[in-house]
Amino acid sequence: MSYDAGNYDVIVVGAGHAGCEAALAAARMGCRTLVVTINLDMIAFMPCNPSIGGPAKGHVVREVDALGGEMGRNIDKTFIQMRMLNTGKGPAVHALRAQADKFLYQHTMKETMEKEPKLTMLQGMVEELIVEEDRCVGVVTKTGAAYRADAVVLTTGTYLRGKIIMGELMYESGPNNQQPSVRLSQNLKELGLELVRFKTGTPPRVHKDTIDFSQTEIQPGDAKPKFFSYETQSSDNEQLPCWLTYTSEDTHRIINENLHRAPMFSGVIEGTGPRYCPSIEDKIVRFSDKPKHQIFLEPEGKNTSEYYVQGFSTSMPEEVQLKMLRSVPGLQNVQMMRTGYAIEYDAVVPTQLWPSLETKRLSGLFTAGQINGTSGYEEAAGQGIMAGINAARKVQGKEPVILDRSQGYIGVLIDDLVTKGTNEPYRLLTSRAEYRLLLRHDNADLRLTPIGYEIGLISEERYARFMDKKHKVEQEIERLRVTKVRPSEINALLESVGSAPIQDGSNLLTILRRPEVSYEGISQVSPSEIELDEDMQEQVEIQIKYAGYIEKQLLHVEKLQKMEKKKLPERINYDDIQGLAMEARQKLAKIRPISIGQASRISGVTPADISILLVYLEHFNRVTAAGG
């Protein structure tokens, strides 16, 4: 028996990294929002690595921040190490990565959510959705409480029918021995949603005082750290180092001798694991020619002795894990505090979603995070904020916000999921983006802050600061374009950086395009009258140096946008379109793309099929315009 427990605009189920962003976005956009989670002490918990960012993932955190999300602000408050990666390469692959104080991270996020005026938090287990006429209108908890809403966002992570596996030991559980969600998974199937079984894993944790750091290499943070949030100006966080060691011959021998007890090789594990974050036993088998693999020892926080053994994810039996650890230089006498494990869970097949992350099967039901087949906290947060935004806009009777592939890594991520699907836990990589030079770490605000402001997640004050930055960067680029210098004024600088001297006068913009010349050098010769902070100077330099490449990518984007603007009717019957190949008909009918652009990215749909679709669309639009 259920009872009426209350009405809300938006209900978010789960409060991991997707749930936090979804709930905060909906509440900040003016919706009365309820977040229901199995355990309020696990809000924004990091069940795997205690870090945020890295290649592509760090870009997503910046994009979440530019839209008005919380992850960037939260990690800036709680980091214990900050490093910019790939600084020896071009700006398209620069990526910020932070070690988090995992306990402070979750407590700070919980505090932020508790203080949000339109957000109500509840500990409870959601077991069923309330569905009326193919529309999701609420949820029912294990205690029988029925909460109704105009939109529901599921962000259940790895909890759906979660099963922990360590060697021969298997038991139903969510991550970190939390309760799994079993009934909700069954309910989703009953409602006609297709689920798939995935697997992920985590390494053991060890006691700091039992590590011999003298046998490892120190990995310090940056002396002058950069930040994820555009709002963070400075930090006095104390930084802690990480440490690097390697597997040994002994490690590989122990693993090979115990492969018959490894669940992923003995056939115990049903779910498909992540290709780009394999277990250590998988790495040893797949790369048997490699004599050693990197292992990073990462502190989990300032007030704990637990260290995370990055690169050592495993589901071996407990006693084998201890042997494996003690075969690694620096860990010979280590004490294992938590055992590594694999976890299997149910996920929704993401091609059942519109690009807004609303399910096609049930109006008003959105899904975000690992339930959509992704891996990683950052991918979850990126989906979470978009699902929260679109749930709120559905309630408000507004069109959804859909980022295209040229606007952000979040756009790439969601388009890949809903258009191509995934047969393994999806991880975002820089190589998945066609427009990497446009989707840089440094320019997420220029790409997405106007959207965040328009939908009500960026304050007037922050938007004014953003517009000031944009205006100053444009002004300075124009100044460099019109300022000419004589050889006598610039050649000394050029010679000092090993650049060829000029014979005639030249403008400063042309000189700054030279790879060896920096904006800092130019400003010594010709200082700007405008006060530019470090970010603005970086923006001026990148936009000038990469102008030619950026222009080429923008031309490609223009073509892409023409295809995206050609919208396909929602209820189109692909069987009626003569000339389409059978595979194309089946795929198009299943995915129901919203545009010609999306249709062109579906595996199995050929350029010939797209040509036929274009002809059909032109005819359809003519008939519709004539009132046919």
Side-chain angles (χ1 to χ4, degrees), residues 8-61:
Y8 292 85
D9 297 319
V10 175
I11 294 171
V12 177
V13 180
H17 303 282
C20 290
E21 296 295 347
L24 286 168
R28 288 167 177 172
M29 288 170 71
C31 293
R32 287 175 305 108
T33 304
L34 172 70
V35 60
V36 190
T37 186
I38 293 171
N39 186 346
L40 284 172
D41 296 329
M42 303 297 283
I43 283 172
F45 181 64
M46 295 177 159
C48 202
N49 53 324
S51 68
I52 296 286
K57 292 167 175 279
H59 293 62
V60 169
V61 182

Side-chain angles (χ1 to χ4, degrees), residues 372-538:
N372 287 346
T374 56
S375 65
Y377 313 141
E378 304 84 356
E379 288 93 335
Q383 293 169 73
I385 193 169
M386 297 312 297
I389 287 167
N390 288 328
R393 286 177 74 86
K394 179 140 189 127
V395 169
Q396 293 161 354
K398 296 175 181 172
E399 285 294 305
V401 173
I402 294 165
L403 301 181
D404 70 40
R405 299 180 72 90
S406 65
Q407 287 177 294
Y409 273 92
I410 295 173
V412 172
L413 162 68
I414 293 173
D415 184 65
D416 277 353
L417 289 174
V418 305
T419 305
K420 301 171 185 170
T422 183
N423 55 11
E424 61 190 37
Y426 176 100
R427 181 179 181 176
L428 199 53
L429 307 165
T430 51
S431 58
R432 295 194 193 271
E434 308 91 310
Y435 308 112
R436 287 193 291 286
L437 202 48
L438 302 181
L439 309 182
R440 303 185 309 274
H441 170 274
D442 62 87
N443 73 347
D445 60 337
L446 295 171
R447 292 183 274 122
L448 298 176
T449 299
I451 296 172
Y453 175 67
E454 190 187 326
I455 60 183
L457 289 177
I458 295 289
S459 68
E460 292 287 348
E461 183 195 350
R462 178 169 171 181
Y463 191 64
R465 281 202 314 273
F466 161 75
M467 289 304 290
D468 179 59
K469 171 185 173 177
K470 190 169 182 281
H471 180 58
K472 282 180 175 172
V473 168
E474 287 165 358
Q475 254 184 304
E476 182 61 1
I477 290 173
E478 186 53 31
R479 181 187 79 85
L480 296 173
R481 191 190 316 280
V482 299
T483 304
K484 293 208 168 177
V485 286
R486 295 187 294 273
S488 60
E489 295 171 300
I490 198 77
N491 279 348
L493 168 72
L494 297 178
E495 283 167 30
S496 73
V497 294
S499 192
I502 59 170
Q503 306 304 318
D504 303 305
S506 173
N507 68 24
L508 290 172
L509 187 141
T510 303
I511 290 167
L512 185 51
R513 280 191 175 145
R514 296 184 179 194
E516 59 276 12
V517 177
S518 68
Y519 175 80
E520 193 183 346
I522 291 285
S523 59
Q524 285 168 11
V525 172
S526 172
S528 175
E529 290 175 14
I530 315 164
E531 197 177 324
L532 300 171
D533 65 24
E534 209 175 297
D535 278 357
M536 294 174 192
Q537 292 177 29
E538 179 187 46

Side-chain angles (χ1 to χ4, degrees), residues 198-456:
F198 278 164
K199 164 249 166 193
T200 188
T202 189
R205 272 58 159 189
V206 298
H207 197 294
K208 173 189 176 182
D209 296 345
T210 61
I211 300 170
D212 180 357
F213 290 107
S214 68
Q215 295 187 49
T216 67
E217 299 168 36
I218 193 166
Q219 304 279 301
D222 292 341
K224 191 181 175 191
K226 289 186 176 286
F227 305 109
F228 280 103
S229 177
Y230 287 93
E231 292 188 0
T232 309
Q233 300 303 310
S234 62
S235 169
D236 56 5
N237 290 16
E238 178 196 355
Q239 295 205 61
L240 301 180
C242 296
W243 306 83
L244 171 64
T245 182
Y246 296 87
T247 57
S248 66
E249 272 182 41
D250 232 13
T251 318
H252 297 213
R253 178 185 56 75
I254 293 164
I255 289 171
N256 281 318
E257 284 174 2
N258 286 279
L259 280 179
H260 62 287
R261 300 186 69 192
M264 64 174 305
F265 292 104
S266 63
V268 168
I269 289 179
E270 302 167 48
T272 309
R275 177 189 305 261
Y276 298 102
C277 189
S279 66
I280 186 66
E281 49 266 35
D282 194 20
K283 279 194 271 192
I284 299 303
V285 170
R286 275 166 53 190
F287 307 106
S288 55
D289 55 319
K290 281 202 169 187
K292 59 183 184 179
H293 294 273
Q294 286 187 328
I295 304 294
F296 291 94
L297 305 172
E298 303 175 344
E300 295 226 315
K302 284 181 291 189
N303 300 310
T304 176
S305 293
E306 284 190 71
Y307 265 59
Y308 178 88
V309 189
Q310 166 80 0
F312 214 80
S313 180
T314 182
S315 56
M316 282 286 200
E318 188 171 72
E319 70 275 18
V320 177
Q321 289 190 35
L322 188 57
K323 281 183 191 169
M324 287 157 56
L325 283 169
R326 288 182 174 171
S327 67
V328 172
L331 304 183
Q332 290 93 332
N333 300 304
V334 85
Q335 177 197 332
M336 183 167 68
M337 295 176 74
R338 297 187 203 229
T339 314
Y341 60 83
I343 183 167
E344 281 191 345
Y345 56 96
D346 286 345
V348 167
V349 173
T351 50
Q352 298 170 102
L353 307 174
W354 297 115
S356 63
L357 296 180
E358 185 177 18
T359 63
K360 296 168 184 173
R361 174 75 188 83
L362 295 172
S363 173
L365 178 65
F366 295 77
T367 58
Q370 280 185 277
I371 188 176
N372 287 346
T374 56
S375 65
Y377 313 141
E378 304 84 356
E379 288 93 335
Q383 293 169 73
I385 193 169
M386 297 312 297
I389 287 167
N390 288 328
R393 286 177 74 86
K394 179 140 189 127
V395 169
Q396 293 161 354
K398 296 175 181 172
E399 285 294 305
V401 173
I402 294 165
L403 301 181
D404 70 40
R405 299 180 72 90
S406 65
Q407 287 177 294
Y409 273 92
I410 295 173
V412 172
L413 162 68
I414 293 173
D415 184 65
D416 277 353
L417 289 174
V418 305
T419 305
K420 301 171 185 170
T422 183
N423 55 11
E424 61 190 37
Y426 176 100
R427 181 179 181 176
L428 199 53
L429 307 165
T430 51
S431 58
R432 295 194 193 271
E434 308 91 310
Y435 308 112
R436 287 193 291 286
L437 202 48
L438 302 181
L439 309 182
R440 303 185 309 274
H441 170 274
D442 62 87
N443 73 347
D445 60 337
L446 295 171
R447 292 183 274 122
L448 298 176
T449 299
I451 296 172
Y453 175 67
E454 190 187 326
I455 60 183

Side-chain angles (χ1 to χ4, degrees), residues 589-605:
K590 184 182 178 188
I591 300 205
R592 284 154 59 201
I594 61 170
S595 67
I596 292 287
Q598 190 189 356
S600 70
R601 294 189 292 276
I602 296 172
S603 168
V605 175

